[in-house]
Amino acid sequence: MKNHGFTSIHDFLGDLLVYRNLSPVDPRLGGFRDKLRKLGLSLGLVPRKSDPEYAHIMVSLLKEARSLEMPVSIERLVYIGDTRLNDGTAFTNICRAGGWRGLAFIGSDKQGRQDAEILNQGNEKIYLANCWSALMDFGHFCRTQGFSLDEATAILVDIDKTALGARGRNDHVIDQARIEAVRHTITVLLGGGFDQVRFKTAYDRFNQPEFHAFTADNQDYLAYICLILGCGLYGLGGLVNDVQTGRLASFEQMIAEVDGQCDRLPPELNEIHGEIYRLVRKGDPTPFKAFRFSEYKTTAERMGKLDEDAEVDQLLQEEIVITQEVREVALMWRDQGALLFGLSDKPDEASIPSPELASRGYLPIHRIRTHAVGV
């Protein structure tokens, strides 16, 4: 692999993207609430990537984005992502909501010789590859399927662990930034009561698939669990047992139980608990705002921090880098007339700087220049 120098997500996607809240970054596109009203959808919770409502909103956004530049109807969808379940489901839902033919590339760098598996789903096909360099082969596959990559084609590019911090190659640095943000947030809140070993043990224990039904695989919930364990309201063994035996079946049940005994919380934690509990009850999927604001900073500080000519091994270990293969095909397909649009499941609070940080020169994640690494 090679160091391809500095670039940014913005260099090939511009502002045509949405973060988790589904509010378009490009001001030319209508807001999320406007989309819901036009589509006749509920004005309640923001749908997640695998929800059918998410697909309808994305179809509306893609049509509007295409009309900004040319009066062409979208006929085909190409999706580039990194997870078979989440991205694959989103891809299928979007194709069916739009009535479009679709091809998806789901990639991850894995050991062994380059290989790919094709999943046929009627009008949609998913190309599962064990290396990101297979994206060029995927372009050839598109052509063999009679799939033109032109003005009538929309290209959806997943950002997290696809265009940025590629899965199997560089995604661990994204994870490190998130863990550091959790640790920093809890350190500030617990002060001298913070125990690094206790924190890491708790985080590692609950950050496992066996607890996803309890945590909803939600990092905000996990951060809160670590906070409550850190202050001593629960013991790790006892909480694990409560979850495994079903006494506590959900995070919502746990935080309600904490609220019932909040007089036992240290005074300095009462306010943050109250804020998180209020947002959980409102259905906000990212209720631990202090953690997410910290995550933005720890992520941004891992981008573009090394010298321009840094060695590839060092870049992949210390910096969140752009996936050159994704960048290369995106630019090529854009030149052929295809519409490029990015999507991210990272919360807006962890992706866009606060006004205070923006005044100090911090940029949205997609505008930060960092190295591109790839074949």
Side-chain angles (χ1 to χ4, degrees):
M1 281 189 283
K2 301 176 183 177
N3 172 356
H4 291 265
F6 285 113
T7 185
S8 70
I9 297 294
H10 182 269
D11 284 349
F12 55 95
L13 291 183
D15 284 330
L16 287 177
L17 75 156
V18 289
Y19 292 108
R20 182 184 288 182
N21 288 353
L22 289 176
S23 296
V25 175
D26 193 315
R28 298 175 297 170
L29 299 175
F32 168 64
R33 298 295 170 187
D34 292 337
K35 289 285 180 294
L36 291 181
R37 291 188 185 93
K38 290 178 181 177
L39 295 169
L41 299 175
S42 168
L43 296 178
L45 304 181
V46 177
R48 298 302 299 271
K49 188 187 283 186
S50 58
D51 293 337
E53 295 82 3
Y54 186 100
H56 287 287
I57 293 167
M58 288 307 307
V59 167
S60 177
L61 283 169
L62 290 171
K63 288 180 177 179
E64 188 175 354
R66 179 75 293 178
S67 70
L68 292 175
E69 298 176 353
M70 56 186 69
V72 176
S73 296
I74 296 171
E75 300 174 7
R76 296 170 293 276
L77 178 77
V78 169
Y79 189 113
I80 305 175
D82 65 286
T83 59
R84 168 66 186 91
L85 181 59
N86 205 22
D87 287 316
T89 301
F91 159 69
T92 301
N93 288 345
I94 293 168
C95 286
R96 294 177 183 177
W100 301 327
R101 294 176 59 210
L103 297 176
F105 177 95
I106 305 296
S108 176
D109 274 353
K110 299 175 182 176
Q111 291 186 340
R113 66 181 182 85
Q114 181 173 320
D115 194 18
E117 177 186 359
I118 313 299
L119 302 181
N120 287 292
Q121 301 180 167
N123 284 330
E124 307 96 38
K125 290 183 173 66
I126 297 179
Y127 188 101
L128 297 172
N130 65 351
C131 59
W132 291 102
S133 59
L135 262 169
M136 284 301 181
D137 293 337
F138 174 70
H140 174 71
F141 173 74
C142 290
R143 292 190 292 274
T144 65
Q145 300 298 306
F147 213 85
S148 300
L149 298 167
D150 57 16
E151 295 86 352
T153 304
I155 314 288
L156 266 179
V157 181
D158 180 51
I159 294 176
D160 316 301
K161 301 188 178 181
T162 296
L164 191 66
R167 185 172 295 278
R169 175 186 297 179
N170 183 233
D171 54 318
H172 61 282
V173 189
I174 292 179
D175 294 337
Q176 289 168 4
R178 183 178 296 123
I179 294 170
E180 183 185 337
V182 177
R183 182 194 59 75
H184 172 76
T185 304
I186 295 176
T187 299
V188 170
L189 291 170
L190 294 181
F194 176 75
D195 184 318
Q196 170 69 25
V197 174
R198 178 188 291 182
F199 160 71
K200 189 173 188 312
T201 302
Y203 185 93
D204 290 345
R205 187 73 177 99
F206 277 99
N207 193 35
Q208 298 295 327
E210 67 175 298
F211 293 104
H212 283 177
F214 177 66
T215 66
D217 195 19
N218 184 314
Q219 290 291 315
D220 291 71
Y221 293 178
L222 182 56
Y224 177 84
I225 290 167
C226 290
L227 176 66
I228 295 303
L229 289 170
C231 77
L233 189 63
Y234 290 84
L236 177 59
L239 184 58
V240 167
N241 184 68
D242 286 344
V243 174
Q244 290 178 334
T245 60
R247 192 189 77 77
L248 289 176
S250 68
F251 174 80
E252 289 80 3
Q253 184 183 354
M254 174 196 167
I255 195 171
E257 185 172 282
V258 171
D259 194 65
Q261 50 185 327
C262 61
D263 57 327
R264 295 178 55 201
L265 289 172
E268 61 272 17
L269 296 189
N270 255 309
E271 182 178 352
I272 190 72
H273 159 75
E275 177 188 342
I276 294 170
Y277 186 44
R278 176 179 60 81
L279 292 173
V280 167
R281 294 182 70 186
K282 284 180 61 178
D284 190 328
T286 55
F288 204 154
K289 303 302 181 185
F291 151 56
R292 291 300 187 175
F293 292 143
S294 180
E295 184 187 8
Y296 164 78
K297 199 163 183 290
T298 58
T299 299
E301 289 172 351
R302 281 171 167 77
M303 297 177 67
K305 70 173 192 173
L306 297 175
D307 292 339
E308 185 169 7
D309 59 353
E311 294 294 327
V312 167
D313 287 346
Q314 184 182 14
L315 287 170
L316 293 179
Q317 291 303 314
E318 299 180 21
E319 190 174 283
I320 299 173
V321 302
I322 287 172
T323 311
Q324 172 63 15
E325 294 90 337
V326 174
R327 172 176 175 256
E328 191 171 329
V329 296
L331 288 170
M332 179 175 64
W333 295 339
R334 187 183 70 181
D335 289 344
Q336 293 171 202
L339 168 70
L340 297 184
F341 200 99
L343 53 86
S344 169
D345 210 29
K346 187 183 284 291
D348 294 50
E349 296 89 348
S351 306
I352 299 172
S354 65
E356 188 271 329
L357 287 178
S359 70
R360 291 162 49 190
Y362 282 83
L363 299 170
I365 293 298
H366 73 284
R367 283 181 171 265
I368 298 176
R369 296 185 68 76
T370 190
H371 290 85
V373 173
V375 295

